[in-house]
Amino acid sequence: MEMIRLGQITFASFLLLTSPVFGQDSAVFAPLDLSSAGERDLLVERQALMARLVARVPSGEEEPPSEAAAQLYLDLAELHLAQMLRREAAGLLSVIAVEDLSPEAQRRHWTLQMVLDLLSERDELSAVLSRSIGWEQGQALRTAAFARLDRHAEAARLLPFAIQTLDALSPAIRAAILPDLLEAALFAEAWPEAKVLATRFADHAELRDSPAYRFLLAHAAELSGDLLSAFDGYMRAAEGRDAHAQRARLALVLLGRRTETLSLAEAVETLKAARWAWSGDEVATEVAQYLADYSVEHGDTRAALWALDLLLTEATDPDEAEALRDRARDVLEAFYEAGATGEIALGTYLEDHAVISLRWRFLDGFAERAAVLPQTLLDTGMTALAAREFRTLRDVEEASGEFGQSIPDRAMLLQLSLGEAHALLAGGQAGAAVDVLIPLSARHGGDGDVERLLVEALSQAGRSDELADLRVRGLDFDLQRRRATTLYENAKWAPAHEALLELWDSYPGQFGFSDASRLIRAAHEVGNTDTVSRVATAFPSLSDLPGWSELAVTLKDSRTTPTELDTKLMRSSIENADRVLNAVTEITDSMNRE
């Protein structure tokens, strides 16, 4: 409303202003006969001019046309321009060597080019308007250009002159700019001028009952407070297929939201349907902006990201593009968190993720936000799918660095690899988990999480040889104990004996009865009497186990050779003791866990 008031004030002060200076017309611009050219039969006139041109231009000539031929090219350009065949007119003007023309022909060329430029796209208009100051015959074109640039104050000031000079233009050009002029009048609430312009629509078959006419009348009704007529007009305009029809669809949504007759969900669905009806200009961009806003508010992630993607492809300012990427990151974070907390059904969560990741997977920070998805799958027992998603996100994070889009987050890569290994282990794929963890261990040697998982994976996979060769550093008690126990259970007596001794030396206060029992057995199997003596002294209660007296006596007898330990009696004693040891170990380990 503030802009409308500004336009109103500007228009009201028009009478205090002097008329624009048109003194440049004779010096710079040439008078055009666009109105007359637009009334002629295009095909007949074109054929006659082409015949004269062919007679003057020798066959095969490649040089720029002569003065006389250039005049014919200018006539052809003016004829095509009057019919709004802009591309053809531009091509005809481009073949003329302007510097070789007479001053009069140069002014005509300049003026025809000015008409083309003032009818061009929005991005090219500002510079053209500064060059066209003082052109009396082109005031309607200049006013329409100001309106397309949303420079409504300038457009409002020029409206009376635009109406006066409309008839100097051809019918096709008048039809092209009348919607812009009427919109400028409505914005400035210049009702007399708006009424005059609206009546001119009836002179053109292409404008009569057109979406542009219906939209502008509806817009006028909305400005005057007649919302029912506005709604009806927008509905009729929205049935069309041009930019004004798309504007009518957007206006229906905005009017519905303003009057609270359209819910947020309905607004989103309407804009989602409308986005396919028109594309490629500022109207489509405005629809995308509102779709992004409403979809974010409504929680429609896919629609919001679609709109942000469109806006991002059209953004030319780096700061604007980065702001859009930040907004996309916020949308992604909200989506993945909602899925992780169960606000989104798992099936929908997975389906939306599959679509979203196709476009946004290489956005900096995507893997960090999406990592909650495979963890959610793992928590629900979908181990194979969780492992696949962890691996996919890891590949995406690595690829983003290879493509130069961002610097891979090494901590995130480690987290995703560990997640994959966890999922594989949970799914009984210990061998595959080992394949993930071995290269990870080489890159992150000494990392407790990596080594703990690697010990667990090697243990579950039964790869005791690799477990025996594994040189772990700085492990906590549980991890060292797990490795030693696995070696013991797989009858790798020498590495088990070494691992248990290391455990005892590193954590003497936590080395318990069950650990000592395993160490005794491992020492017996390798024939190490020193270890037996040390353990028996530190854990005298071991002597209460059946069979251990014979074992201790035998092992303490330094004259006994390793082969003599393999007698039937001794083997019976060891097996008997081992059965008891297993029971004691189970009880002790259970108590330790509690």
Side-chain angles (χ1 to χ4, degrees):
M1 286 303 294
E2 290 181 3
M3 289 299 296
I4 293 176
R5 296 302 176 199
L6 176 61
Q8 193 174 32
I9 293 169
T10 304
F11 179 72
S13 63
F14 160 72
L15 294 176
L16 301 177
L17 301 176
T18 59
S19 299
V21 177
F22 300 129
Q24 295 184 21
D25 246 17
S26 58
V28 178
F29 303 101
L32 299 178
D33 194 16
L34 291 170
S35 178
S36 176
E39 299 289 350
R40 299 174 195 154
D41 188 303
L42 173 65
L43 295 179
V44 172
E45 289 293 322
R46 184 178 185 277
Q47 185 176 10
L49 288 170
M50 289 298 298
R52 292 170 57 189
L53 183 62
V54 170
R56 287 189 173 273
V57 179
S59 178
E61 181 179 353
E62 296 182 358
E63 296 297 323
S66 64
E67 174 77 15
Q71 290 290 353
L72 291 172
Y73 275 109
L74 290 171
D75 290 342
L76 282 166
E78 187 169 353
L79 176 67
H80 285 82
L81 183 55
Q83 302 289 341
M84 280 297 288
L85 300 173
R86 291 183 295 164
R87 181 173 298 179
E88 291 79 358
L92 290 162
L93 290 176
S94 67
V95 301
I96 301 173
V98 181
E99 64 276 5
D100 297 332
L101 297 179
S102 66
E104 181 184 355
Q106 285 182 350
R107 286 196 298 273
R108 189 181 179 201
H109 186 283
W110 167 267
T111 308
L112 287 170
Q113 187 63 54
M114 187 65 63
V115 175
L116 271 174
D117 292 344
L118 286 171
L119 291 169
S120 63
E121 299 302 323
R122 175 175 176 152
D123 294 341
E124 305 169 10
L125 287 177
S126 294
V128 181
L129 283 166
S130 64
R131 297 198 306 269
S132 65
I133 294 174
W135 183 28
E136 182 177 0
Q137 189 179 6
Q139 290 309 304
L141 290 167
R142 298 186 73 243
T143 306
F146 278 125
R148 289 202 300 280
L149 285 174
D150 297 329
R151 292 167 61 175
H152 299 290
E154 292 98 324
R157 184 173 66 87
L158 293 175
L159 272 173
F161 301 104
I163 293 174
Q164 293 172 17
T165 57
L166 259 179
D167 289 335
L169 304 174
S170 68
I173 296 178
R174 289 199 295 269
I177 66 172
L178 268 173
D180 296 320
L181 297 177
L182 179 53
E183 185 163 5
L186 294 176
F187 194 95
E189 298 186 16
W191 303 119
E193 286 81 0
K195 183 178 180 180
V196 171
L197 291 166
T199 60
R200 298 294 295 263
F201 275 63
D203 299 336
H204 305 276
E206 63 268 42
L207 291 181
R208 247 178 268 134
D209 205 30
S210 65
Y213 185 57
R214 292 297 172 191
F215 169 78
L216 292 169
L217 289 182
H219 184 50
E222 183 179 2
L223 291 175
S224 65
D226 187 355
L227 300 185
L228 187 60
S229 295
F231 176 81
D232 181 63
Y234 287 141
M235 286 292 292
R236 295 182 65 181
E239 296 172 358
R241 298 182 179 181
D242 62 8
H244 283 93
Q246 185 73 343
R247 293 182 66 185
R249 297 178 193 108
L250 178 58
L252 281 169
V253 172
L254 299 181
L255 181 60
R257 291 299 295 154
R258 182 162 65 87
T259 58
E260 298 183 353
T261 56
L262 193 68
S263 69
L264 182 60
E266 290 169 332
V268 170
E269 290 304 314
T270 303
L271 291 176
K272 284 167 66 174
R275 61 182 165 170
W276 307 116
W278 189 257
S279 63
D281 65 0
E282 63 272 11
V283 179
T285 300
E286 189 176 9
V287 169
Q289 289 169 342
Y290 278 105
L291 179 57
D293 293 341
Y294 289 159
S295 297
V296 169
E297 184 180 354
H298 182 54
D300 190 332
T301 302
R302 286 171 61 172
L305 290 174
W306 180 93
L308 290 172
D309 183 28
L310 178 65
L311 295 172
L312 192 56
T313 59
E314 297 177 351
T316 56
D317 180 66
D319 293 337
E320 179 189 357
E322 188 56 35
L324 288 169
R325 281 190 283 269
D326 284 340
R327 197 172 180 193
R329 292 185 187 99
D330 292 340
V331 173
L332 289 168
E333 185 167 0
F335 165 72
Y336 284 110
E337 285 299 327
T341 56
E343 296 177 35
I344 305 175
L346 186 57
T348 303
Y349 191 29
L350 292 172
E351 180 182 348
D352 287 351
H353 164 72
V355 174
I356 290 168
S357 63
L358 289 176
R359 164 59 183 88
W360 296 97
R361 61 188 182 276
F362 293 123
L363 177 70
D364 185 24
F366 174 81
E368 177 184 356
R369 288 160 177 78
V372 296
L373 170 68
Q375 186 59 52
T376 301
L377 296 173
L378 181 57
D379 294 341
T380 57
M382 303 174 71
T383 57
L385 187 55
R388 189 188 72 184
E389 289 297 335
F390 274 122
R391 181 170 59 254
T392 299
L393 289 176
R394 185 189 67 206
D395 293 342
V396 164
E397 185 70 16
E398 290 176 341
S400 65
E402 294 175 5
F403 293 152
Q405 293 184 299
S406 62
I407 300 175
D409 187 334
R410 296 299 172 189
M412 176 56 56
L413 289 174
L414 175 60
Q415 177 186 333
L416 293 170
S417 295
L418 289 172
E420 182 185 2
H422 272 295
L424 290 169
L425 279 173
Q429 301 183 62
V434 171
D435 295 337
V436 172
L437 290 165
I438 285 181
L440 203 62
S441 178
R443 292 194 301 269
H444 300 275
D447 186 284
D449 292 334
V450 175
E451 294 186 333
R452 182 177 293 103
L453 271 179
L454 182 54
V455 169
E456 182 68 27
L458 288 170
S459 301
Q460 288 190 24
R463 294 162 68 165
S464 53
D465 290 337
E466 293 172 73
L467 189 62
D469 295 336
L470 182 65
R471 290 293 177 262
V472 289
R473 301 172 298 279
L475 302 183
D476 58 25
F477 174 78
D478 291 334
L479 188 55
Q480 284 199 33
R481 192 168 189 253
R482 173 62 171 152
R483 175 173 176 265
T485 302
T486 300
L487 292 171
Y488 175 88
E489 291 172 349
N490 284 275
K492 299 295 181 180
W493 303 118
H497 175 262
E498 180 181 354
L500 287 164
L501 282 176
E502 290 175 357
L503 181 65
W504 194 5
D505 293 339
S506 299
Y507 299 96
Q510 295 173 260
F511 194 81
F513 183 83
S514 60
D515 303 309
S517 304
R518 295 188 185 99
L519 182 53
I520 284 283
R521 172 70 190 275
H524 160 69
E525 294 293 344
V526 299
N528 191 313
T529 57
D530 293 336
T531 298
V532 172
S533 298
R534 180 184 172 191
V535 176
T537 301
F539 296 88
S541 57
L542 284 170
S543 60
D544 296 335
L545 295 176
W548 283 111
S549 56
E550 295 89 341
L551 175 62
V553 169
T554 305
L555 288 175
K556 287 181 180 180
D557 186 356
S558 59
R559 294 170 299 177
T560 305
T561 63
T563 55
E564 295 177 10
L565 292 174
D566 203 21
T567 63
K568 182 177 181 180
L569 175 62
M570 197 54 50
R571 178 59 57 196
S572 175
S573 297
I574 293 296
E575 290 174 355
N576 184 34
D578 203 32
R579 282 193 296 272
V580 178
L581 172 60
N582 289 336
V584 172
T585 299
E586 270 186 40
I587 296 171
T588 308
D589 288 347
S590 177
M591 293 174 63
N592 289 337
R593 284 193 297 269
E594 293 175 0

XYZ file of all heavy atoms in Angstrom, residues 52-111:
468
model
N 12.205 -4.874 -55.230
C 13.050 -3.698 -55.453
C 14.448 -3.914 -54.897
O 15.437 -3.471 -55.493
C 12.402 -2.479 -54.792
C 11.104 -2.039 -55.471
C 10.386 -0.994 -54.640
N 11.254 0.176 -54.401
C 10.934 1.156 -53.547
N 9.790 1.088 -52.834
N 11.744 2.183 -53.391
N 14.536 -4.603 -53.758
C 15.840 -4.847 -53.156
C 16.682 -5.778 -54.015
O 17.878 -5.537 -54.228
C 15.662 -5.441 -51.757
C 16.926 -5.701 -50.946
C 17.670 -4.398 -50.686
C 16.585 -6.393 -49.629
N 16.070 -6.829 -54.538
C 16.801 -7.769 -55.388
C 17.313 -7.078 -56.646
O 18.416 -7.354 -57.128
C 15.894 -8.964 -55.750
C 16.543 -9.827 -56.826
C 15.608 -9.798 -54.510
N 16.530 -6.153 -57.152
C 16.963 -5.435 -58.361
C 18.162 -4.547 -58.087
O 18.975 -4.285 -58.983
C 15.805 -4.586 -58.891
N 18.329 -4.077 -56.865
C 19.433 -3.178 -56.541
C 20.667 -3.900 -56.017
O 21.761 -3.364 -56.059
C 18.985 -2.155 -55.490
C 18.051 -1.102 -56.055
C 17.811 -0.005 -55.041
N 17.046 1.079 -55.637
C 17.589 2.094 -56.309
N 18.906 2.152 -56.454
N 16.825 3.053 -56.804
N 20.517 -5.109 -55.490
C 21.643 -5.847 -54.902
C 22.115 -6.903 -55.883
O 21.362 -7.832 -56.200
C 21.239 -6.505 -53.568
C 22.421 -7.276 -52.986
C 20.758 -5.451 -52.588
N 23.357 -6.813 -56.430
C 23.854 -7.814 -57.369
C 23.887 -9.194 -56.718
O 24.083 -9.340 -55.511
C 25.260 -7.324 -57.704
C 25.263 -5.865 -57.342
C 24.310 -5.722 -56.212
N 23.689 -10.211 -57.548
C 23.713 -11.591 -57.049
C 25.074 -11.925 -56.452
O 26.116 -11.644 -57.048
C 23.390 -12.548 -58.199
O 23.463 -13.873 -57.753
N 25.057 -12.506 -55.275
C 26.291 -12.935 -54.625
C 27.035 -11.836 -53.909
O 28.143 -12.058 -53.419
N 26.490 -10.628 -53.845
C 27.182 -9.518 -53.176
C 27.297 -9.799 -51.677
O 26.335 -10.157 -51.023
C 26.409 -8.221 -53.402
C 27.084 -7.013 -52.742
C 26.318 -5.720 -52.995
O 25.368 -5.756 -53.784
O 26.681 -4.700 -52.401
N 28.511 -9.614 -51.146
C 28.749 -9.853 -49.727
C 29.024 -8.564 -48.969
O 29.087 -8.563 -47.746
C 29.932 -10.820 -49.544
C 29.662 -12.209 -50.114
C 30.826 -13.157 -49.871
O 31.837 -12.705 -49.299
O 30.719 -14.325 -50.261
N 29.249 -7.458 -49.652
C 29.521 -6.190 -49.001
C 28.237 -5.626 -48.387
O 27.131 -5.975 -48.808
C 30.089 -5.189 -50.023
C 31.442 -5.597 -50.598
C 32.513 -5.670 -49.538
O 32.493 -4.815 -48.616
O 33.362 -6.578 -49.596
N 28.339 -4.723 -47.381
C 27.139 -4.079 -46.840
C 26.374 -3.360 -47.929
O 26.958 -2.886 -48.908
C 27.715 -3.095 -45.813
C 29.053 -3.651 -45.458
C 29.565 -4.299 -46.708
N 25.054 -3.267 -47.811
C 24.255 -2.661 -48.869
C 24.562 -1.181 -49.048
O 24.981 -0.493 -48.115
C 22.820 -2.880 -48.388
C 22.929 -3.057 -46.911
C 24.235 -3.741 -46.699
N 24.337 -0.704 -50.239
C 24.535 0.704 -50.558
C 23.462 1.536 -49.886
O 22.533 1.021 -49.272
C 24.489 0.898 -52.072
O 23.189 0.559 -52.547
N 23.573 2.883 -50.026
C 22.601 3.778 -49.406
C 21.175 3.465 -49.867
O 20.259 3.367 -49.058
C 22.955 5.234 -49.756
C 21.930 6.267 -49.290
C 22.009 6.568 -47.798
O 23.020 6.207 -47.167
O 21.049 7.141 -47.257
N 21.012 3.282 -51.182
C 19.672 3.020 -51.707
C 19.152 1.679 -51.205
O 17.977 1.554 -50.812
C 19.708 3.044 -53.240
N 20.018 0.665 -51.217
C 19.604 -0.643 -50.712
C 19.334 -0.582 -49.211
O 18.403 -1.213 -48.698
C 20.682 -1.684 -51.012
N 20.148 0.201 -48.489
C 19.952 0.336 -47.045
C 18.592 0.945 -46.732
O 17.929 0.561 -45.753
C 21.067 1.180 -46.442
N 18.147 1.895 -47.562
C 16.827 2.478 -47.358
C 15.738 1.420 -47.490
O 14.750 1.418 -46.736
C 16.592 3.613 -48.373
C 17.443 4.858 -48.140
C 17.022 5.634 -46.898
O 16.009 5.314 -46.272
N 17.806 6.640 -46.531
N 15.915 0.492 -48.432
C 14.946 -0.584 -48.582
C 14.976 -1.523 -47.375
O 13.930 -2.001 -46.924
C 15.222 -1.361 -49.868
C 14.934 -0.589 -51.163
C 15.434 -1.375 -52.372
C 13.431 -0.312 -51.284
N 16.188 -1.807 -46.876
C 16.292 -2.620 -45.651
C 15.581 -1.932 -44.489
O 14.900 -2.585 -43.672
C 17.758 -2.859 -45.297
C 18.382 -4.040 -46.004
C 19.333 -3.842 -47.003
C 18.032 -5.337 -45.668
C 19.924 -4.926 -47.662
C 18.614 -6.425 -46.312
C 19.549 -6.221 -47.311
O 20.118 -7.293 -47.955
N 15.735 -0.602 -44.397
C 15.056 0.128 -43.327
C 13.541 0.072 -43.503
O 12.794 -0.067 -42.509
C 15.536 1.580 -43.312
C 16.982 1.804 -42.843
C 17.403 3.251 -43.073
C 17.142 1.439 -41.376
N 13.063 0.177 -44.756
C 11.622 0.052 -45.007
C 11.115 -1.329 -44.581
O 10.040 -1.451 -43.966
C 11.331 0.271 -46.493
C 11.543 1.723 -46.923
O 11.574 2.596 -46.032
O 11.691 1.969 -48.142
N 11.882 -2.363 -44.933
C 11.496 -3.723 -44.543
C 11.487 -3.891 -43.021
O 10.588 -4.511 -42.442
C 12.435 -4.744 -45.182
C 12.186 -5.070 -46.651
C 13.382 -5.817 -47.242
C 10.918 -5.933 -46.782
N 12.514 -3.336 -42.363
C 12.595 -3.433 -40.905
C 11.403 -2.741 -40.254
O 10.787 -3.266 -39.313
C 13.907 -2.835 -40.406
N 11.039 -1.553 -40.769
C 9.909 -0.827 -40.197
C 8.603 -1.587 -40.422
O 7.737 -1.652 -39.531
C 9.820 0.564 -40.820
C 8.781 1.448 -40.160
C 8.897 2.894 -40.605
O 9.858 3.242 -41.331
O 8.016 3.697 -40.216
N 8.459 -2.200 -41.606
C 7.263 -2.976 -41.910
C 7.120 -4.158 -40.948
O 6.034 -4.400 -40.399
C 7.332 -3.477 -43.355
C 6.186 -4.384 -43.809
C 4.875 -3.605 -43.867
C 6.516 -5.014 -45.159
N 8.214 -4.900 -40.721
C 8.168 -6.060 -39.828
C 7.982 -5.633 -38.369
O 7.258 -6.281 -37.611
C 9.432 -6.900 -39.979
C 9.466 -7.707 -41.246
N 9.846 -7.189 -42.454
C 9.140 -9.010 -41.479
C 9.765 -8.138 -43.388
N 9.339 -9.243 -42.826
N 8.636 -4.544 -38.004
C 8.509 -4.075 -36.630
C 7.084 -3.638 -36.333
O 6.557 -3.877 -35.237
C 9.485 -2.919 -36.394
C 9.548 -2.328 -34.979
C 9.841 -3.420 -33.956
C 10.591 -1.230 -34.908
N 6.424 -3.013 -37.306
C 5.041 -2.576 -37.111
C 4.111 -3.761 -36.875
O 3.067 -3.618 -36.218
C 4.580 -1.773 -38.327
N 4.494 -4.926 -37.381
C 3.693 -6.139 -37.171
C 4.166 -6.934 -35.938
O 3.719 -8.051 -35.723
C 3.779 -7.033 -38.415
C 3.318 -6.375 -39.698
C 1.820 -6.170 -39.740
O 1.080 -6.815 -39.003
N 1.359 -5.261 -40.603
N 5.082 -6.336 -35.166
C 5.666 -6.977 -33.977
C 6.444 -8.242 -34.333
O 6.560 -9.169 -33.534
C 4.590 -7.302 -32.929
C 4.191 -6.104 -32.083
S 5.552 -5.435 -31.070
C 5.722 -6.721 -29.839
N 7.010 -8.261 -35.524
C 7.931 -9.334 -35.916
C 9.339 -8.849 -35.586
O 10.128 -8.454 -36.447
C 7.763 -9.655 -37.405
C 6.362 -10.132 -37.811
C 6.245 -10.259 -39.330
C 6.049 -11.465 -37.136
N 9.636 -8.854 -34.310
C 10.847 -8.193 -33.828
C 12.126 -8.895 -34.275
O 13.122 -8.235 -34.591
C 10.803 -8.119 -32.301
C 9.727 -7.163 -31.792
C 9.755 -7.058 -30.292
N 9.407 -8.330 -29.672
C 9.628 -8.638 -28.394
N 10.239 -7.756 -27.609
N 9.261 -9.791 -27.908
N 12.121 -10.203 -34.261
C 13.338 -10.912 -34.644
C 13.692 -10.636 -36.107
O 14.864 -10.408 -36.442
C 13.159 -12.418 -34.432
C 14.374 -13.234 -34.789
C 14.198 -14.683 -34.410
N 14.027 -14.844 -32.978
C 13.841 -16.025 -32.378
N 13.794 -17.124 -33.104
N 13.699 -16.096 -31.073
N 12.690 -10.623 -36.983
C 12.941 -10.342 -38.394
C 13.441 -8.915 -38.576
O 14.361 -8.652 -39.362
C 11.673 -10.573 -39.209
C 11.233 -12.024 -39.314
C 10.508 -12.519 -38.071
O 10.391 -11.735 -37.113
O 10.067 -13.681 -38.061
N 12.821 -7.970 -37.840
C 13.249 -6.572 -37.945
C 14.689 -6.406 -37.467
O 15.486 -5.679 -38.089
C 12.311 -5.692 -37.122
N 15.036 -7.088 -36.371
C 16.404 -6.993 -35.852
C 17.411 -7.547 -36.857
O 18.504 -6.988 -37.038
C 16.509 -7.746 -34.529
N 17.050 -8.637 -37.525
C 17.951 -9.206 -38.526
C 18.172 -8.267 -39.695
O 19.309 -8.146 -40.209
N 17.128 -7.577 -40.138
C 17.261 -6.631 -41.248
C 18.124 -5.435 -40.857
O 18.951 -4.960 -41.650
C 15.871 -6.165 -41.685
C 15.020 -7.237 -42.395
C 13.549 -6.836 -42.385
C 15.524 -7.456 -43.819
N 17.959 -4.949 -39.644
C 18.779 -3.816 -39.203
C 20.244 -4.202 -39.049
O 21.142 -3.371 -39.256
C 18.243 -3.283 -37.870
C 16.887 -2.566 -37.908
C 16.455 -2.192 -36.499
C 16.952 -1.328 -38.790
N 20.509 -5.445 -38.695
C 21.886 -5.854 -38.420
C 22.763 -5.916 -39.663
O 23.995 -5.878 -39.551
C 21.883 -7.227 -37.723
O 21.422 -8.233 -38.621
N 22.171 -6.019 -40.844
C 22.996 -6.145 -42.058
C 23.402 -4.792 -42.613
O 24.163 -4.715 -43.580
C 22.243 -6.947 -43.148
C 21.886 -8.326 -42.643
C 20.995 -6.214 -43.622
N 22.911 -3.722 -42.021
C 23.198 -2.383 -42.536
C 24.450 -1.836 -41.865
O 24.590 -1.877 -40.643
C 22.003 -1.443 -42.269
C 20.736 -1.988 -42.938
C 22.310 -0.034 -42.754
C 19.482 -1.215 -42.585
N 25.365 -1.301 -42.666
C 26.557 -0.625 -42.143
C 26.167 0.805 -41.811
O 26.113 1.683 -42.695
C 27.680 -0.660 -43.164
N 25.876 1.072 -40.543
C 25.315 2.366 -40.135
C 26.269 3.516 -40.459
O 25.838 4.600 -40.868
C 24.993 2.344 -38.630
C 24.386 3.666 -38.180
C 24.037 1.204 -38.312
N 27.573 3.279 -40.307
C 28.535 4.359 -40.506
C 28.568 4.865 -41.951
O 29.031 5.980 -42.227
C 29.929 3.903 -40.074
C 30.522 2.775 -40.889
C 30.058 1.401 -40.431
O 29.185 1.347 -39.531
O 30.568 0.401 -40.950
N 28.074 4.065 -42.897
C 28.083 4.475 -44.307
C 26.793 5.175 -44.717
O 26.655 5.579 -45.880
C 28.291 3.247 -45.202
C 29.645 2.588 -44.962
O 30.576 3.314 -44.565
O 29.759 1.360 -45.170
N 25.847 5.296 -43.798
C 24.560 5.894 -44.141
C 24.614 7.416 -44.029
O 25.468 7.996 -43.339
C 23.470 5.354 -43.215
C 23.174 3.853 -43.267
C 22.090 3.511 -42.253
C 22.762 3.421 -44.656
N 23.663 8.042 -44.652
C 23.494 9.487 -44.515
C 22.989 9.790 -43.109
O 22.436 8.907 -42.435
C 22.489 9.996 -45.550
O 21.199 9.455 -45.269
N 23.166 11.009 -42.603
C 22.673 11.349 -41.254
C 21.188 11.052 -41.071
O 20.780 10.564 -40.012
C 22.972 12.850 -41.152
C 24.138 13.054 -42.062
C 23.928 12.109 -43.214
N 20.384 11.354 -42.077
C 18.951 11.075 -41.976
C 18.677 9.579 -41.825
O 17.870 9.158 -40.991
C 18.226 11.618 -43.208
C 16.726 11.382 -43.181
C 16.025 11.840 -44.449
O 16.699 12.441 -45.315
O 14.812 11.594 -44.566
N 19.380 8.739 -42.634
C 19.201 7.285 -42.554
C 19.734 6.749 -41.223
O 19.168 5.807 -40.645
C 19.902 6.605 -43.721
N 20.813 7.343 -40.739
C 21.354 6.917 -39.437
C 20.339 7.177 -38.328
O 20.174 6.349 -37.434
C 22.655 7.660 -39.144
C 23.842 7.165 -39.955
C 25.120 7.899 -39.578
O 25.111 8.900 -38.860
N 26.247 7.399 -40.088
N 19.670 8.356 -38.358
C 18.657 8.657 -37.339
C 17.499 7.670 -37.425
O 16.955 7.234 -36.400
C 18.163 10.099 -37.500
C 19.145 11.154 -37.029
C 18.460 12.502 -36.862
N 17.912 13.017 -38.116
C 18.600 13.741 -38.994
N 19.874 14.038 -38.739
N 18.030 14.185 -40.093
N 17.135 7.314 -38.644
C 16.038 6.360 -38.802
C 16.429 4.985 -38.265
O 15.635 4.318 -37.580
C 15.656 6.266 -40.274
C 14.375 5.450 -40.500
C 14.038 5.350 -41.955
N 12.834 4.552 -42.161
C 12.508 3.960 -43.305
N 13.299 4.107 -44.371
N 11.411 3.249 -43.399
N 17.652 4.567 -38.577
C 18.158 3.292 -38.056
C 18.168 3.325 -36.523
O 17.732 2.377 -35.851
C 19.560 3.027 -38.607
C 20.108 1.678 -38.254
N 20.617 1.379 -37.008
C 20.229 0.525 -38.985
C 21.031 0.126 -36.981
N 20.802 -0.418 -38.177
N 18.692 4.410 -35.967
C 18.759 4.577 -34.506
C 17.367 4.498 -33.886
O 17.167 3.853 -32.844
C 19.428 5.924 -34.200
C 19.305 6.384 -32.771
C 18.337 7.203 -32.263
C 20.158 6.060 -31.692
N 18.539 7.424 -30.932
C 19.667 6.735 -30.552
C 21.307 5.297 -31.566
C 20.275 6.654 -29.308
C 21.914 5.215 -30.320
C 21.402 5.876 -29.201
N 16.395 5.146 -34.500
C 15.045 5.195 -33.944
C 14.364 3.828 -34.016
O 13.693 3.401 -33.066
C 14.209 6.247 -34.680
O 14.910 7.488 -34.694
C 12.864 6.440 -34.003
